Amino acid sequence: FAVWSATAGEGTPGVAVPPTPPPPALGVPGPAATATQPRVVVHVAGQVARPGVITLPAGARVADAVHAAGGVTPTAWVESLNLARTLVDGEQVRVPTVGETPPPPPPPTSTAQDDGGAVLDLNAATPEQLQQLPGVGPVTAQRIVAHREDIGGFVDVAQLLDVPGIGPNRFADLQARVRV
């Protein structure tokens, strides 16, 4: 009986098979979502049905943000976007109109880390971005930038030890949060 009832609607004219329920909408936390799960907040603008600020799980892609904004409009130039790119917290995803010059993607200065922090590129980070690192204030951030300029760019994160004010303990805190 179990096999018959599981296959009764298949191929039988006039018997409706109930549709599979759709997956939960992106950007809307499901019942298992908690405040401790890493999230990214992005602004989706341009040729989407519902532009605005959207919260998605960390690791979400541009395609997820566009989908959460209701999809694209008929005049959208989707081919100009890298829909597979991982989102960066705080970025704007702009879907251009056909023929419009697409905006550049955010600089590759950060990538998601397991602990929810960001990995900064020492050769591209601004003093403001450097100040987001543990134990780095305005003075140390300026020293890092000045040292970067003096040496023509970092080739190894260990060169942070040459920056005045960064000793072994501070370096240990920074090492996993920076890259070159």
Side-chain angles (χ1 to χ4, degrees), residues 87-178:
L87 294 168
V88 175
D89 187 51
E91 79 169 284
Q92 181 184 60
V93 174
R94 179 162 178 68
V95 179
T97 303
V98 172
E100 180 183 344
T101 302
T109 58
S110 64
T111 56
Q113 245 188 332
D114 292 340
D115 65 358
V119 178
L120 292 178
D121 183 336
L122 288 173
N123 292 317
T126 65
E128 292 77 21
Q129 290 171 320
L130 291 167
Q131 289 177 50
Q132 302 304 310
L133 295 169
V136 176
V139 172
T140 304
Q142 286 299 332
R143 288 178 180 165
I144 293 170
V145 171
H147 186 67
R148 173 175 71 197
E149 292 170 359
D150 289 345
I151 64 171
F154 290 94
V155 294
D156 190 315
V157 277
Q159 289 176 296
L160 276 176
L161 289 166
D162 299 331
V163 176
I166 298 182
N169 291 339
R170 173 117 358 117
F171 178 72
D173 292 339
L174 298 176
Q175 188 174 8
R177 297 180 177 270
V178 294

Side-chain angles (χ1 to χ4, degrees), residues 45-48 73-80 94-103:
Q47 300 304 305
V48 291
T73 65
T75 59
W77 187 24
V78 180
E79 291 80 14
S80 68
R94 179 162 178 68
V95 179
T97 303
V98 172
E100 180 183 344
T101 302

